[in-house]
Amino acid sequence: MSHTFVPVSWNPRKRVYDVCLWICIALYIVLYVSVTNMFFQQEDAISTLIVLMRAFSTCGFIMLTFILCIGPLARIDQRFLPLLYNRRHFGVSFFLIALIHGALAIFWYHSFGDINPIVSVVTSGGSYGGVGDFPFQLFGLLSLLMFFVMAATSHDYWNATLGPLWKSLHLLVYPGYALLIIHIGMGAMQESNTGILPYMVFISVTLVGGLHLYSALFHSRQSLAVEQEASSWVEVGNWQQIENDRGITVTVNGAERVAIFRYDECKLSAVSNVCRHQNGPLGEGKVIDGCITCPWHGFQYRPEDGRSPPPFTEKIETFKLKLEGNVIYLDPKPLPLGTPREVTMITTTH
Amino acid sequence: MKNSDKAPFFVGYLDMPKQLKRFYIPLVILVGVLSALGGMSIAKQQQSDGPAEWQTSSTVTYHGLLKMEPYPVLHRINPDNANETESILLVNQGKFSAEHYAAPLEDQWVSVTGYPIIRGGWTMLELASDQPIHTAAKIEEPSEFSILGQSSSSVSLGAVSFSGEIADSKCFLGVMNPGKGTVHKACAEVCLLGGIPAMLLVLGEDGLKYGYLLTHSDGSSVSKELANQAAKQVEVNGELVKKGDLLYLQIGESEVL
C-alpha cells in the first residue's frame, strides 16, 4: 500500500508479475509472426502488417479473456488472488496491445487515400442503414475507447479521486468485451477462411460466462445474514466460529456489510467490510502485524479504530460490539470513519 | 461465514508463502508454454490468399501503347513471345488511380516505370513516384504500335450474368494478402473512391477466382459508384467485353445500385 502517488506503482511482486506477463506476450507475438513467415513465403506471403494486426488482435483477445477470468477464479480458489493483485497492470498491458492492433488497422486499411483515416474509420466499410451492413470496425473503436478510459484511470490517484464512480467506470470492461465480440463476429468471422477464430470466441465466452456463473452460484461472497429487529443490537452468533486473526462477514437487513474479526485470541472488532482502496472484501482478509489486511491489495486498517497505520491515512467505518456469554451482538449503526471504540474482550472460556 | 485458513494468505508487498510459490512456478511455466504453442498454432491456421506478389524491391520499366479503357492500361508485346501481347493495368501509389498521369498521354507510345503487382495472369504496375510515365523518344517499332492498336480494340463477348464479390483490383492483385473480404472492406471502399479499377471476383466451378473489371455500360469508370458495395456479394448482369487480354463487364445503371 502507498500513501503517495507515483506514475507506476511497482514492488518486487509486481515486477515479477509484469516480467512474466510480458514474456508470455512476447513469446506469443514473436512465434506468431515467425511461424507465419515460415509457412507463408514469397507468393503466398501474407502481408506483414496484416500478420502483425492478427498477432496483436488474437493476443489481446486472449489477454482480455484471461483478465475477465481472474475475478471469478480468485473467488473460487483464493490461490488465484495474486493474479488479482496486479490485474491493473495486466489491463493496461492489454490496452497497449489492443491499441497497436487498432493503430495498424487504421494505418493499413484507412490511410493512403482521399479520406482522413480517422473519418474513414467512421464512414467507410459499411452503412448505418441496417444491422448487417454496420461498419464492424466501429465496435472495435468503441471498445478501444472504453479500454482507454479504464487504462487512463487505472492509477490509484483516479481511484482515490473518483471514489465509488471508479468501480462503476471499470465495470465498462464487460460492455467493452461484448463490443469486442461483436467486432470479431461482424468482422473477421465473416471471412470465408476464419481458421480457429470461431473456436477461440466460443472458448472465451464459455470460460468467462461459465466462471462468472459458477462463482456466482457456488462461491458468492458468503455472508451471515441477520435481521435487525426493534432492539438496536443484533445477534451475530458464537465468537468461536471466528478463527483467530480471521474474520466473518455479516449482512444486516440485506444491506450493511460488516466484517467482524477476532485477533490476539481474545479480542473482537467490527469494521466495514469494504476496503477504501478498491472495495475489496475485508472480511476475507487476515489480521497481520495487528492490522486487518485486505485480501486484494494488502491495504491495512487497525481493528481498534479502522484507521490505516501511519503514514497512511485511509479510514473505514467502525461498529460497536458486545458479548453476552459466548454470543456476539452487533450495533449495525456505523460509526464515523476511523472512530475508535472500546475493544470487546472475550472473557469466557470455550 | 467462516473463512478457511487452509489457503495461504497472499500480501503483495510481503514474501509469497511457500505453498503459493509451489503453486505458481509450474503454473507460470505452463502459461508460458501455452503462450508459445498458442502463437504458433493460431498462426499456422491462417491461409494465404495468394499466389500474388507486390515487388517493391526495385522498379521495372515497360514500353507500350497507353490506353484509357477507362482505367489506364499499357498494352505491350510479350517480351517472351513476340506473337503475344499483354495488357498491364496502371495505378498510382497509395489508393489512387493513375489517370492523372496517364490521361494526357492516351494513345501514345510511352515508357512506364513502377512496381509490378502480379497475380495469376494479371499484371498491374504501381507507378514509381518520380516521372512515372513519359513518351518514348521515338516510336521504335511502328509495326508493334499497329499490332497493339488492333489487339486492344474492344470485342464484345455477349451478355453474361455473374455472382461475385466487388473488390478493388490493386489490393486483390497483390498489394495486400488477403486483399478482399469483410475485414478489408473499408480499405476497398477507400481504394474505389480513389479511382482504383473496380473488379468483380467470381469463383469458378474449377475453384479458381476470376476477375472482371467493372465499367458503366458506356465504358466509363464505375469505381466511385461501387465504393459502398465493396466486399459485398452481388449478382451482376452485363456485357462481357475484351480489350487486349483484359476482360471487362459493362453494367447498367440499375446494376450499380
Side-chain angles (χ1 to χ4, degrees):
Chain A
M1 61 193 279
S2 66
H3 69 296
T4 55
F5 297 119
V6 290
V8 182
S9 169
W10 268 305
N11 62 31
R13 298 286 88 70
K14 287 186 178 180
R15 284 200 177 87
V16 170
Y17 191 114
D18 289 350
V19 166
C20 291
L21 176 64
W22 278 96
I23 285 175
C24 290
I25 292 170
L27 271 174
Y28 180 92
I29 289 173
V30 168
L31 287 169
Y32 189 106
V33 174
S34 303
V35 164
T36 306
N37 290 339
M38 193 186 300
F39 283 94
F40 303 97
Q41 294 183 346
Q42 295 179 340
E43 290 185 330
D44 287 319
I46 297 170
S47 302
T48 305
L49 285 179
I50 292 177
V51 175
L52 288 172
M53 254 186 270
R54 290 174 174 176
F56 280 94
S57 63
T58 49
C59 180
F61 185 63
I62 293 168
M63 286 173 76
L64 182 59
T65 301
F66 206 84
I67 287 167
L68 288 170
C69 288
I70 290 175
L73 272 177
R75 204 177 293 174
I76 292 165
D77 187 335
Q78 287 203 335
R79 285 179 300 177
F80 289 104
L81 274 171
L83 296 178
L84 189 82
Y85 174 65
N86 202 26
R87 187 170 53 175
R88 280 184 288 172
H89 283 206
F90 202 155
V92 173
S93 302
F94 154 71
F95 168 71
L96 293 175
I97 296 293
L99 182 67
I100 292 171
H101 165 75
L104 287 171
I106 291 172
F107 176 75
W108 194 229
Y109 289 140
H110 297 274
S111 302
F112 310 111
D114 242 351
I115 311 172
N116 179 301
I118 303 299
V119 174
S120 170
V121 173
V122 182
T123 59
S124 304
S127 70
Y128 296 92
V131 175
D133 197 32
F134 207 84
F136 79 97
Q137 71 271 11
L138 268 185
F139 295 105
L141 180 68
L142 279 175
S143 67
L144 189 64
L145 288 175
M146 286 181 175
F147 296 130
F148 167 72
V149 170
M150 283 183 278
T153 59
S154 66
H155 196 272
D156 271 347
Y157 168 79
W158 291 105
N159 184 13
T161 305
L162 295 173
L165 179 64
W166 189 89
K167 191 72 182 174
S168 308
L169 196 66
H170 283 247
L171 286 175
L172 280 176
V173 69
Y174 292 103
Y177 176 67
L179 286 172
L180 203 58
I181 296 288
I182 298 171
H183 172 66
I184 298 167
M186 291 183 70
M189 276 176 62
Q190 298 299 314
E191 298 288 355
S192 53
N193 164 38
T194 53
I196 205 170
L197 194 59
Y199 302 102
M200 285 178 69
V201 172
F202 177 77
I203 291 168
S204 170
V205 172
T206 307
L207 259 180
V208 172
L211 279 173
H212 276 79
L213 196 64
Y214 181 80
S215 67
L217 289 176
F218 302 109
H219 293 271
S220 59
R221 285 201 187 97
Q222 293 175 15
S223 179
L224 181 69
V226 294
E227 296 295 326
Q228 185 179 21
E229 295 172 356
S231 159
S232 64
W233 292 93
V234 291
E235 182 180 332
V236 174
N238 195 312
W239 65 264
Q240 290 166 337
Q241 68 185 307
I242 311 174
E243 289 180 26
N244 188 44
D245 289 338
R246 285 291 197 169
I248 58 167
T249 307
V250 179
T251 306
V252 183
N253 295 336
E256 191 68 52
R257 280 186 162 227
V258 181
I260 301 177
F261 280 87
R262 179 159 77 94
Y263 60 106
D264 290 349
E265 296 291 347
C266 59
K267 294 177 182 173
L268 292 168
S269 170
V271 296
S272 165
N273 187 50
V274 182
C275 179
R276 295 293 288 178
H277 177 225
Q278 279 191 22
N279 303 339
L282 285 177
E284 294 172 24
K286 189 175 184 179
V287 178
I288 297 174
D289 297 332
C291 287
I292 295 165
T293 307
C294 180
W296 283 9
H297 301 94
F299 271 57
Q300 290 191 307
Y301 306 92
R302 291 189 301 234
E304 296 82 18
D305 56 10
R307 292 169 184 255
S308 294
F312 308 108
T313 55
E314 285 78 11
K315 289 181 276 189
I316 51 174
E317 292 158 334
T318 55
F319 296 82
K320 286 180 184 169
L321 289 177
K322 70 176 181 180
L323 206 56
E324 291 183 4
N326 286 343
V327 179
I328 302 170
Y329 288 87
L330 165 75
D331 180 353
K333 186 181 168 193
L335 298 170
L337 299 170
T339 304
R341 68 270 182 267
E342 201 171 313
V343 171
T344 305
M345 300 293 293
I346 301 168
T347 53
T348 53
T349 55
H350 59 282
Chain B
M1 171 252 171
K2 194 170 185 172
N3 279 328
S4 166
D5 208 22
K6 289 176 187 169
F9 192 79
F10 171 80
V11 181
Y13 46 81
L14 301 177
D15 279 342
M16 186 180 258
K18 280 182 183 172
Q19 288 165 278
L20 278 178
K21 276 186 184 165
R22 281 199 293 272
F23 177 69
Y24 271 98
I25 289 171
L27 184 68
V28 168
I29 293 170
L30 178 68
V31 171
V33 170
L34 288 177
S35 301
L37 290 175
M40 291 192 286
S41 56
I42 294 170
K44 181 78 170 54
Q45 290 286 321
Q46 298 175 99
Q47 282 181 17
S48 171
D49 206 34
E53 207 173 354
W54 181 25
Q55 297 169 359
T56 54
S57 54
S58 61
T59 59
V60 295
T61 299
Y62 296 150
H63 305 276
L65 178 63
L66 183 63
K67 303 285 277 185
M68 298 295 290
E69 297 175 339
Y71 311 112
V73 176
L74 182 79
H75 296 280
R76 69 165 192 159
I77 300 294
N78 187 334
D80 300 323
N81 185 346
N83 295 322
E84 287 183 4
T85 62
E86 64 177 0
S87 307
I88 298 163
L89 276 164
L90 305 179
V91 290
N92 201 355
Q93 298 206 338
K95 297 173 182 175
F96 294 103
S97 161
E99 188 178 345
H100 168 73
Y101 293 103
L105 301 173
E106 185 177 8
D107 291 328
Q108 294 191 43
W109 187 267
V110 297
S111 65
V112 185
T113 303
Y115 302 96
I117 301 161
I118 299 166
R119 175 187 279 272
W122 293 82
T123 303
M124 178 181 264
L125 202 63
E126 182 193 53
L127 302 183
S129 56
D130 187 27
Q131 287 190 310
I133 309 177
H134 37 113
T135 50
K138 62 184 177 101
I139 299 174
E140 295 168 355
E141 300 285 348
S143 59
E144 287 183 0
F145 193 98
S146 157
I147 292 167
L148 290 169
Q150 288 169 13
S151 72
S152 63
S153 59
S154 174
V155 178
S156 173
L157 302 177
V160 292
S161 178
F162 288 133
S163 294
E165 178 186 331
I166 291 176
D168 77 280
S169 51
K170 185 176 180 181
C171 290
F172 172 70
L173 291 180
V175 167
M176 290 192 192
N177 182 356
K180 64 176 184 61
T182 309
V183 171
H184 179 262
K185 189 175 183 177
C187 178
E189 192 172 328
V190 177
C191 281
L192 293 177
L193 285 172
I196 299 290
M199 187 178 253
L200 185 72
L201 307 179
V202 179
L203 189 64
E205 289 177 357
D206 53 8
L208 297 174
K209 291 190 204 83
Y210 292 88
Y212 302 92
L213 293 167
L214 295 165
T215 68
H216 280 296
S217 54
D218 64 359
S220 60
S221 171
V222 75
S223 291
K224 289 181 182 174
E225 289 88 334
L226 285 178
N228 61 2
Q229 310 268 11
K232 283 185 185 169
Q233 291 292 326
V234 294
E235 188 169 332
V236 181
N237 302 303
E239 184 184 357
L240 194 62
V241 171
K242 190 168 189 283
K243 296 176 190 174
D245 58 358
L246 297 179
L247 288 172
Y248 294 80
L249 186 57
Q250 296 185 335
I251 57 178
E253 288 303 312
S254 58
E255 301 294 326
V256 176
L257 298 172

